[in-house]
């Protein structure tokens, strides 16, 4: 039901338009599909993905001999779930180690909700019985360290930090030592998000990653990229840039509650082939949900 609430804006637009479309047409024809394409594009599903969905729908409609627009609604939801799940085998589940330290690097542009996501995720992991620690690796943005500390206090987890402006790789080294000596299960690492300076960003991420790889064999176990759902197609462009810099293993799509264009989830999955592992549905501690394609698509319609 959290999922449903968070999708309220997308749902009211999207299903409203689909219902309207279905009620205006007497038969499923080329024009009907063109209007459907338009609705999907407006929901930020993304051009390539829309074309793929509509092609598949046309085939399905022919195969099942569907004539009445009212009968197509369930086929649309089926296809939306299918297109998401056909991505590949990569799981939506967080890759947590059964034993020893799991290191999760969290990357993303300033303002997308990185710090909030780390706070919410630490709460979720703590609730699952994990010992969690945070590394304040964004030493660049003013206030980033304090903001992470506020979350640390709120959730009740340790935060390892240095002064603003210090070397993020050094913070990471400290955090890794502390995590190992305090028997931490999951270390969540914040990073800076200056996309304006792509070369520096890449160098910094590379350096931080090298420290992690050296200190914990097999780590980082996850590189989560946080994207702001309200930025629509821009989020896709950011994702492509980060993919060039670092091996992104999962997406957290924040602020899905703040947009009517929740279709961006499908575009991300289909065009980037990276699983969406979590969605942010609000600003509070428990407003982070594991992503579930079926719940999501049915949340759009029901
Ligand atoms: P950062 O610069 O990437 O670390 O971004 P912040 O974590 O500071 O988040 C920026 C703003 O977005 C803050 O006001 C957050 O409360 C807000 N925010 C983050 N995630 C969500 C979400 O899922 N839903 C909503 N509505 N707001 C969010």
């Amino acid at each position: 039901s959290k999922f449903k609430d968070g999708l309220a804006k997308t749902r009211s637009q999207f299903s409203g338009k689909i219902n309207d479309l279905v009620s205006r047409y007497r038969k499923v024809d080329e024009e009907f599909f063109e209007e459907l394409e338009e609705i999907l594009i407006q929901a930020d599903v993304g051009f390539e993905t829309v074309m793929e969905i509509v092609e598949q729908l046309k085939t399905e409609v022919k195969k099942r001999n569907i004539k009445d627009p009212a009968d197509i609604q369930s086929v649309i939801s089926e296809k939306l779930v299918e297109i998401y799940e056909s991505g590949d085998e990569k799981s939506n589940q967080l890759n947590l180690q059964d034993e020893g330290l799991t290191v999760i690097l969290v990357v993303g542009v300033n303002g997308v909700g990185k710090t909030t996501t780390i706070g919410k995720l630490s709460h979720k992991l703590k609730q699952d019985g994990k010992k969690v620690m945070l590394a304040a690796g964004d030493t660049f943005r003013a206030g980033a360290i304090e903001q992470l500390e506020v979350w640390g206090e709120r959730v009740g987890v340790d935060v390892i930090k240095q002064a603003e402006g210090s070397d993020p790789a050094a913070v990471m080294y400290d955090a890794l030592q502390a995590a190992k000596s305090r028997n931490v299960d999951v270390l969540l690492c914040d990073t800076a998000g200056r996309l304006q300076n792509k070369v520096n960003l890449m160098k910094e991420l590379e350096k931080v990653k090298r420290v992690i790889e050296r200190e914990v064999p097999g780590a980082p176990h996850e590189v989560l990229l946080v994207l702001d759902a309200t930025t629509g197609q821009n989020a896709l462009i950011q994702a492509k840039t980060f993919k060039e810099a670092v091996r992104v293993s999962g997406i957290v799509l924040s602020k899905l509650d703040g947009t009517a264009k929740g279709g961006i989830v499908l575009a991300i999955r289909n065009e980037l082939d990276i699983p969406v592992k979590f969605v942010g549905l609000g600003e509070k501690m428990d407003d982070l949900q594991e992503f579930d394609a079926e719940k999501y698509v049915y949340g759009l319609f029901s």
Side-chain angles (χ1 to χ4, degrees):
S1 112
K2 251 262 137 79
F3 220 94
K4 258 182 92 169
D5 293 346
L7 284 170
K9 284 190 185 164
T10 301
R11 180 174 55 251
S12 69
Q13 285 238 358
F14 186 68
S15 63
K17 283 180 188 163
I18 300 262
N19 287 340
D20 172 61
L21 175 72
V22 164
S23 68
R24 278 189 292 107
Y25 277 80
R26 291 172 148 262
K27 61 176 197 297
V28 181
D29 57 13
E30 196 53 38
E31 238 178 282
F32 175 89
F33 282 119
E34 269 171 32
E35 277 204 46
L36 179 62
E37 270 172 27
E38 194 53 43
I39 293 170
L40 291 168
I41 284 170
Q42 278 172 11
D44 254 337
V45 174
F47 186 75
E48 281 175 44
T49 311
V50 170
M51 291 306 130
E52 214 172 297
I53 290 172
V54 172
E55 266 327 295
Q56 289 188 21
L57 270 176
K58 284 179 181 171
T59 311
E60 204 61 30
V61 161
K62 233 189 210 158
K63 209 167 87 189
R64 298 197 206 171
N65 199 20
I66 294 173
K67 296 261 174 2
D68 186 349
D71 296 332
I72 202 177
Q73 211 144 326
S74 61
V75 190
I76 297 175
S77 358
E78 260 171 54
K79 283 294 152 200
L80 290 177
V81 174
E82 247 178 66
I83 203 126
Y84 186 87
E85 289 180 342
S86 71
D88 60 9
E89 298 298 307
K90 278 178 228 143
S91 151
N92 289 8
Q93 299 284 312
L94 210 52
N95 176 25
L96 296 174
Q97 302 303 104
D98 291 331
E99 264 175 64
L101 178 63
T102 299
V103 183
I104 300 178
L105 197 59
V106 185
V107 303
V109 176
N110 284 341
V112 291
K114 208 162 8 97
T115 314
T116 310
T117 296
I118 292 173
K120 291 190 244 181
L121 189 54
S122 63
H123 171 64
K124 190 178 237 354
L125 290 166
K126 202 183 165 202
Q127 277 191 319
D128 291 343
K130 303 286 181 198
K131 187 168 180 189
V132 183
M133 182 182 271
L134 310 181
D138 184 355
T139 60
F140 186 77
R141 178 167 74 82
I145 299 167
E146 291 74 19
Q147 206 188 330
L148 202 68
E149 281 187 301
V150 169
W151 272 106
E153 266 169 42
R154 197 178 291 162
V155 176
V157 297
D158 290 345
V159 180
I160 303 299
K161 58 159 191 176
Q162 287 184 9
E164 199 175 300
S166 56
D167 182 357
V171 177
M172 217 49 79
Y173 181 81
D174 273 2
L176 290 160
Q177 304 315 315
K180 284 193 268 188
S181 71
R182 295 182 211 172
N183 284 318
V184 162
D185 297 311
V186 186
L187 177 67
L188 293 172
C189 309
D190 195 8
T191 59
R194 288 165 287 160
L195 203 57
Q196 307 88 297
N197 194 331
K198 203 167 127 184
V199 177
N200 276 356
L201 176 84
M202 288 190 187
K203 273 193 194 149
E204 187 170 307
L205 281 178
E206 199 43 55
K207 198 172 159 198
V208 164
K209 221 180 81 197
R210 269 207 306 274
V211 172
I212 295 173
E213 282 165 355
R214 200 179 57 215
E215 296 303 312
V216 183
H221 304 93
E222 287 276 2
V223 179
L224 296 179
L225 170 63
V226 183
L227 298 172
D228 178 343
T230 66
T231 62
Q233 298 300 307
N234 242 329
L236 275 178
I237 297 167
Q238 283 172 19
K240 281 172 187 159
T241 308
F242 273 95
K243 244 182 113 172
E244 287 168 24
V246 57
R247 187 190 52 80
V248 177
S249 60
I251 306 272
V252 180
L253 193 61
S254 68
K255 309 186 198 180
L256 204 55
D257 56 307
T259 180
K261 298 182 165 215
I264 191 74
V265 177
L266 295 163
I268 287 171
R269 171 64 178 206
N270 204 40
E271 288 178 36
L272 300 170
D273 211 21
I274 304 173
V276 176
K277 298 210 169 181
F278 294 96
V279 290
L281 298 167
E283 297 181 281
K284 292 196 295 296
M285 199 142 72
D286 53 4
D287 286 336
L288 189 76
Q289 292 272 308
E290 269 162 33
F291 181 71
D292 178 312
E294 252 179 66
K295 271 195 205 158
Y296 162 76
V297 168
Y298 292 109
L300 289 181
F301 284 102
S302 51

